[in-house]
């Protein structure tokens, strides 16, 4: 399998509903909750790509472009954007969808870096 095919097969998409229990006093999704969801999707994407133990080592940047209101759906999309020797980078985007209207818009973008670990919890090659 080529690197491009592996990247394509590992792309991960998850939908969630934004309920009031996950929002702040402005009725928008807590930033920390969004980051938690993004890290989870990034982890799934990295693991699907490598099929190894992966751990988050950094987030380069998370840009909050639009607030995410309660009563909407969000789609989180993770895609591998860089592969190194023992690490890889996953871009995650969160899109907002109204429940009862067409269309969607980008709300948040972030990049997450992961390292592959062997059975001794030491860095190992991402692609074997």
């Amino acid at each position: 399998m080529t690197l491009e095919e592996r990247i394509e097969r590992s792309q991960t998409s998850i939908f969630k509903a934004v309920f009031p229990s996950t929002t702040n006093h402005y009725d928008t999704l807590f930033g920390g909750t969004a980051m938690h969801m993004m890290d989870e999707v990034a982890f799934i994407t990295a693991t699907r790509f490598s099929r190894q133990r992966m751990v988050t080592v950094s987030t380069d940047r998370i840009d909050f472009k639009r607030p995410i209101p309660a009563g909407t759906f969000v789609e989180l999309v993770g895609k591998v954007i860089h592969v190194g020797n023992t690490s890889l980078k996953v871009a995650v985007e969160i899109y907002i969808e109204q429940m009862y209207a067409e269309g969607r818009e980008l709300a948040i973008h972030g990049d997450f870096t992961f390292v592959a670990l062997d059975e001794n919890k030491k860095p190992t090659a991402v692609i074997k």
Side-chain angles (χ1 to χ4, degrees), residues 45-113:
T45 304
T47 303
R48 291 180 71 213
F49 176 86
S50 69
R51 297 296 176 182
Q52 298 186 74
R53 293 174 187 91
M54 301 296 290
V55 294
T56 308
V57 294
S58 72
T59 57
D60 292 347
R61 179 180 180 136
I62 297 177
D63 293 319
F64 295 84
K65 298 175 180 300
R66 300 206 184 304
I68 300 174
T72 58
F73 295 130
V74 291
E75 180 184 15
L76 295 99
V77 180
K79 184 173 183 180
V80 174
I81 57 170
H82 176 77
V83 179
N85 182 29
T86 62
S87 67
L88 59 81
K89 187 177 288 191
V90 176
V92 178
E93 295 178 326
I94 298 182
Y95 294 90
I96 305 168
E97 287 188 20
Q98 299 301 319
M99 286 190 186
Y100 308 111
E102 293 296 324
R104 69 183 201 159
E105 58 185 328
L106 179 64
I108 305 172
H109 175 272
D111 295 332
F112 295 75
T113 302

Side-chain angles (χ1 to χ4, degrees), residues 5 11 15 22 38 45 74 76 117:
E5 290 171 327
Q11 183 168 316
F15 286 86
T22 62
M38 293 174 78
T45 304
V74 291
L76 295 99
L117 299 179

